[in-house]
Amino acid sequence: MLGAYITLTMMTALGVHYVISIIVSIFVVGVVSVLLERLVFFPLREAPPIQDKVAAIGILLFLEALAQLIWGPHYLQMSTPFNQVIAIGGLTITLQRIIIVITAVTVMILLWLFLKKTYMGASIMAMAQNRDGASLVGINTNKVAMITFFIAGGLAAIGASLTSPINLVFPGMGHLVILKAFVIIILGGMGSVPGAILGGYILGFTEAIGATYISNDYKDIIAFVLLVIILTFKPQGIFAREESK
Amino acid sequence: MLKLDNVTVKYGKYAAIRDVSLTVEKGEIVVLLGANGAGKTTTFRTISGLNQLAGGKIIFEDLEIHRKSPNKIVEMGIVHCAEDRKLFPQMSVQENLNLGGYVHRKNKQQIKNSMKEVYDLFPILYEKRDDPAGSLSGGQQQMLAIGRALMAKPKLMLLDEPSIGLAPLIVEQMFESIQQINKEGTTILLAEQNANAALSIANRGYVYENGKIVVQGSSQELFENEEVRKAYIGA
Ligand SMILES: Nc1ncnc2c1ncn2[C@@H]1O[C@H](COP(=O)(O)OP(=O)(O)O)[C@@H](O)[C@H]1O
Ligand SMILES: [Mg+2]
């Protein structure tokens, strides 16, 4: 949401090119995330995990209110230089949508390689699995936490800026995304990139099939129906691994 | 090599250890004996920088380390092998070991050699190298915790109750491995409730009671000490 507003403001107020605006937005949202980590999540690191989540919801509400104050409650439109329509074998699709797909896949692969193949990625995973353990092998957990938040913020800015031209920009634009991400995590398991991809596909296909055979109007409800069904019958998630705690 | 000088550590208002002074010399195995809750783990967590001290000093190789962050302390050569092991449960054995060598990550060859040494010391870890750490048995997890600590090539290893929850036969092997590690040049500070086994490999020891050191001496002296025998050896 913040990422979309920053990209939009750069474009409309300063007349900066879309792509450059996105890059600036990645950086700004990344830095904002790091500040939030220092100010909010770092002091909560010894607290029970539920407090992090409550804090996150608090930040969400705060940022939305802030966006409404600065940019107003209206729906804003973001233009894109990539609105050419391309026809591939009878299918027509805008260039923007192709860019979204390509960027999403590229970012996903890069993220996965980063987490799997680099020491920095491994230290992020290590810290998520055992923070003290990470300290004891010599990982600077403060630095890693900040880098993690920077990456998370930057990725959110990319996602929001890319999808804004095909949706709209408004303070509550993130709600549906967050809820769907929640469904995907429950489907695919927390902290697993392949699981997230699989979960995303399951949700995407279910929505598409629902839109075709039931009604397009009910498309977004499907995520929530899935959520309710899964949490009722398998509250630990579908592909959740057995945890030895 | 390591010196604690009147160290006091508090959890809130409660002092878990009070005025603890001890030394460890290069090449030694020193054991901290004491019942549950006596303050052994708190001592270790404070040396490795996970806990802050409320008073006193910790000196390692002539440098004060008690205000340094845990990662700096690892870089200086002290590695803490925790009582609850603190492994990365969803990562494989190999990935855990790799991260154990985090402070030497620029030196790929050294990491490879260290890993081979760990696998030589604990061959079972090699067999299980692709299994997630969380799926190992208690004894194997302890081996992995020690192996991960060795990957950092510590000068001083803090080993917190390595025998906890292990079958007697495995405990014996564990202490043999610890002795082996010490022979190869790593100084060891060990915390144990299993006084018999610990004193049989240690040079010296300290006995904790309610956060204070009450007796100290060579292994032989502690072994013959009437009170120590009564409290921890049961003879
Ligand atoms: N995180 C903590 N918060 C409060 N008190 C603690 C904490 N950890 C340990 N203690 C207390 O400190 C004392 C020493 O504990 P500990 O160092 O774990 O002893 P040991 O390792 O010898 O069993 C105990 O009384 C214990 O209850
Ligand atoms: Mg203990």
Side-chain angles (χ1 to χ4, degrees):
Chain A
M1 186 267 304
L2 196 58
Y5 273 111
I6 289 168
T7 304
L8 185 63
T9 306
M10 294 282 300
M11 290 170 71
T12 51
L14 303 171
V16 180
H17 187 268
Y18 179 58
V19 175
I20 299 185
S21 302
I22 293 181
I23 292 169
V24 173
S25 177
I26 290 170
F27 190 75
V28 173
V29 179
V31 170
V32 169
S33 304
V34 172
L35 289 178
L36 289 172
E37 194 275 333
R38 288 287 94 179
L39 292 174
V40 181
F41 294 104
F42 179 72
L44 287 177
R45 69 198 180 286
E46 306 285 350
I50 184 74
Q51 297 192 12
D52 282 349
K53 277 141 207 141
V54 175
I57 295 171
I59 290 172
L60 179 77
L61 295 175
F62 169 77
L63 288 178
E64 281 183 22
L66 189 71
Q68 184 157 341
L69 184 72
I70 301 176
W71 290 287
H74 331 284
Y75 291 81
L76 303 175
Q77 211 159 11
M78 187 188 283
S79 60
T80 166
F82 307 114
N83 45 19
Q84 301 87 324
V85 176
I86 292 175
I88 312 167
L91 288 172
T92 54
I93 185 167
T94 60
L95 187 56
Q96 179 73 18
R97 283 178 192 266
I98 294 178
I99 289 175
I100 292 174
V101 172
I102 292 173
T103 315
V105 172
T106 314
V107 167
M108 222 143 52
I109 292 171
L110 287 178
L111 183 66
W112 188 80
L113 287 176
F114 171 74
L115 289 175
K116 271 285 171 198
K117 301 284 169 197
T118 68
Y119 262 105
M120 180 51 76
S123 35
I124 290 177
M125 301 296 280
M127 216 176 121
Q129 292 182 22
N130 194 322
R131 190 175 182 124
D132 273 352
S135 287
L136 292 182
V137 299
I139 291 169
N140 183 341
T141 48
N142 281 327
K143 199 173 97 188
V144 172
M146 288 195 272
I147 291 171
T148 309
F149 272 76
F150 187 89
I151 293 172
L155 290 179
I158 297 182
S161 305
L162 282 177
T163 52
S164 287
I166 62 171
N167 296 325
L168 287 164
V169 181
F170 56 101
M173 63 183 275
H175 292 175
L176 205 57
V177 180
I178 290 172
L179 266 156
K180 285 186 183 174
F182 193 54
V183 176
I184 289 171
I185 289 172
I186 289 172
L187 280 165
M190 190 81 179
S192 155
V193 176
I197 296 173
L198 189 67
Y201 268 108
I202 295 176
L203 180 62
F205 278 121
T206 320
E207 281 190 352
I209 291 168
T212 313
Y213 290 103
I214 305 171
S215 157
N216 203 22
D217 299 334
Y218 288 113
K219 186 173 132 254
D220 287 332
I221 289 182
I222 287 168
F224 307 113
V225 173
L226 267 181
L227 186 68
V228 170
I229 293 175
I230 294 165
L231 288 183
T232 307
F233 293 103
K234 215 156 177 296
Q236 67 275 39
I238 297 254
F239 300 112
R241 274 169 286 201
E242 307 291 316
E243 295 264 347
S244 52
K245 250 275 151 87
Chain B
M1 181 182 220
L2 178 77
K3 187 164 168 227
L4 272 67
D5 192 8
N6 285 306
V7 171
T8 298
V9 180
K10 294 183 174 168
Y11 292 110
K13 281 214 173 80
Y14 170 71
I17 56 174
R18 269 162 297 144
D19 296 322
V20 165
S21 296
L22 58 86
T23 55
V24 180
E25 300 301 331
K26 195 167 188 310
E28 280 189 312
I29 299 183
V30 175
V31 62
L32 309 181
L33 296 173
N36 244 337
K40 306 177 296 295
T41 298
T42 303
T43 306
F44 279 10
R45 288 181 60 92
T46 310
I47 298 172
S48 62
L50 292 176
N51 285 4
Q52 298 303 311
L53 42 66
K57 278 195 269 195
I58 302 178
I59 295 160
F60 179 65
E61 295 188 320
D62 302 325
L63 291 170
E64 285 192 1
I65 59 166
H66 53 265
R67 269 184 285 274
K68 295 194 185 297
S69 58
N71 59 300
K72 280 281 169 336
I73 292 171
V74 177
E75 281 166 24
M76 293 177 71
I78 302 181
V79 174
H80 175 180
C81 195
E83 178 176 33
D84 52 1
R85 291 149 196 164
K86 301 196 187 300
L87 299 170
F88 309 122
Q90 285 140 42
M91 294 190 195
S92 69
V93 166
Q94 185 129 353
E95 287 170 319
N96 269 273
L97 290 178
N98 232 329
L99 276 167
Y102 185 81
V103 293
H104 304 295
R105 62 193 175 282
K106 306 247 156 68
N107 191 340
K108 294 244 157 58
Q109 191 56 43
Q110 182 185 326
I111 292 209
K112 230 170 142 183
N113 295 344
S114 307
M115 201 173 291
K116 184 167 178 306
E117 284 168 32
V118 171
Y119 286 147
D120 286 345
L121 186 65
F122 301 119
I124 184 76
L125 292 184
Y126 183 72
E127 279 172 42
K128 305 240 168 191
R129 63 188 178 281
D130 294 321
D131 293 6
S135 72
L136 302 181
S137 73
Q140 293 161 356
Q141 291 198 12
Q142 187 60 49
M143 291 176 201
L144 179 55
I146 295 177
R148 190 181 70 177
L150 283 174
M151 292 293 297
K153 295 231 168 242
K155 296 174 189 158
L156 171 65
M157 186 145 123
L158 312 175
L159 260 175
D160 199 351
E161 302 208 29
S163 74
I164 201 164
L166 304 187
L169 190 68
I170 316 263
V171 171
E172 204 172 302
Q173 289 171 4
M174 190 61 73
F175 279 96
E176 276 168 26
S177 308
I178 294 168
Q179 215 165 10
Q180 172 85 21
I181 292 166
N182 177 251
K183 278 210 190 86
E184 283 164 17
T186 310
T187 307
I188 288 174
L189 180 58
L190 177 70
E192 261 302 336
Q193 298 194 44
N194 187 340
N196 232 339
L199 287 175
S200 71
I201 64 164
N203 303 90
R204 293 186 300 118
Y206 296 84
V207 180
Y208 274 68
E209 235 175 71
N210 298 321
K212 279 178 118 50
I213 291 177
V214 289
V215 185
Q216 56 176 296
S218 71
S219 292
Q220 191 62 29
E221 283 164 3
L222 292 180
F223 203 74
E224 286 164 1
N225 184 301
E226 215 35 60
E227 280 165 47
V228 176
R229 287 189 79 83
K230 243 192 252 152
Y232 304 107
I233 301 175

